[in-house]
Amino acid sequence: MTTRPLLVFCALGPEVWALRGGDWRGTAGGSPVLVRTGVGRRRAGLAVRRLLGSAPGGYGAVVVAGFGAAVGPGVLPGDVVVADGVRDSEGQLYPLDSGAELTAALKERGLTVHTGVHHTADHVVRGIERRALHLQGALAVDMEAAAVLAALREVRPVLPAAVLRVVVDTPEHELLRFGTLPAGVRAWRTLRATVPALVDWYRQERAPGSADLNHPTSSTLPQEAS
């Protein structure tokens, strides 16, 4: 079992707050490291290169987690969308092997989960643009995941990675401000509830060479880098 901590990237402070309060007991490698990247591809890519470029052997896997938007019917606010691939605005697709295992772990915890392609956009996607993305095969949209995976491919291509988004709004009910609607509160609670499934998924991962670095495991509270 890996003895390196899990590295979790979030764009926003409320996402970090939600995950920090989750039940991380038993996490392989001890306390995870939570990183708030800020919004957008540039910031997310810089965060990955800064952390993994300077300490290439320090982490056992990477997760991108937070809130996102559904782009088609059948996905409701509070549902979880797990990526089996992430596509950027230029059409580059980053496949993920983690989708099936993470989906199973989340469903075992009683969460409503969908698995499919996430699209990383350069701007907030609304209206007809969402429908177009759905027709292209996407289930959810965010603004960071593809940049994280692109940077990871450069600096740590063998590191396991997973991406999940809790749906805040849908094409039928677009959210104008996260904190003002019940959907935002529901998504925040759901994101916190994903933590035990992330623990289960990471326990199953075997990063190459991950057993050669011992990290303390006494603390059960995640750390945060910024």
Side-chain angles (χ1 to χ4, degrees):
M1 179 179 293
T2 180
T3 57
R4 296 179 178 181
L6 178 65
L7 179 59
V8 183
F9 289 104
C10 303
L12 303 172
E15 296 168 337
V16 173
W17 181 27
L19 290 168
R20 184 192 295 122
D23 184 2
W24 291 99
R25 289 176 296 179
T27 307
S31 299
V33 175
L34 303 179
V35 178
R36 179 174 58 84
T37 66
V39 175
R41 291 168 62 179
R42 185 186 67 82
R43 292 175 177 174
L46 286 174
V48 174
R49 292 179 179 90
R50 175 172 58 87
L51 285 170
L52 294 177
S54 60
Y59 304 99
V62 166
V63 169
V64 182
F67 308 122
V71 298
V75 183
L76 302 176
D79 289 0
V80 184
V81 182
V82 173
D84 57 12
V86 177
R87 186 179 61 219
D88 64 22
S89 297
E90 293 74 42
Q92 175 67 50
L93 179 67
Y94 300 89
L96 289 168
D97 296 331
S98 54
E101 289 184 357
L102 183 54
T103 295
L106 289 161
K107 287 183 175 180
E108 286 177 3
R109 299 287 177 169
L111 298 173
T112 301
V113 190
H114 310 265
T115 309
V117 172
H118 289 209
H119 179 87
T120 296
D122 294 318
H123 57 277
V124 176
V125 175
R126 300 190 185 280
I128 193 171
E129 191 174 1
R130 288 199 195 193
R131 293 192 289 274
L133 291 175
H134 178 62
L135 291 174
Q136 295 167 17
L139 284 185
V141 62
D142 65 29
M143 296 177 66
E144 295 82 29
V148 171
L149 297 178
L152 196 61
R153 180 177 288 184
E154 293 178 16
V155 297
R156 285 296 306 278
V158 299
L159 202 63
V163 175
L164 70 83
R165 295 291 179 183
V166 177
V167 173
V168 176
D169 66 341
T170 68
E172 296 81 11
H173 301 285
E174 291 189 343
L175 184 67
L176 298 180
R177 288 191 297 164
F178 168 77
T180 61
L181 296 179
V185 176
R186 187 182 308 120
W188 189 89
R189 291 173 176 168
T190 301
L191 183 58
R192 176 167 288 188
T194 67
V195 168
L198 290 172
V199 172
D200 293 343
W201 170 77
Y202 186 43
R203 191 180 294 120
Q204 300 173 37
E205 285 302 312
R206 299 294 186 271
S210 61
D212 63 350
L213 184 61
N214 189 24
H215 283 260
T217 58
S218 58
S219 172
T220 59
L221 295 177
Q223 305 167 7
E224 179 182 356
S226 61

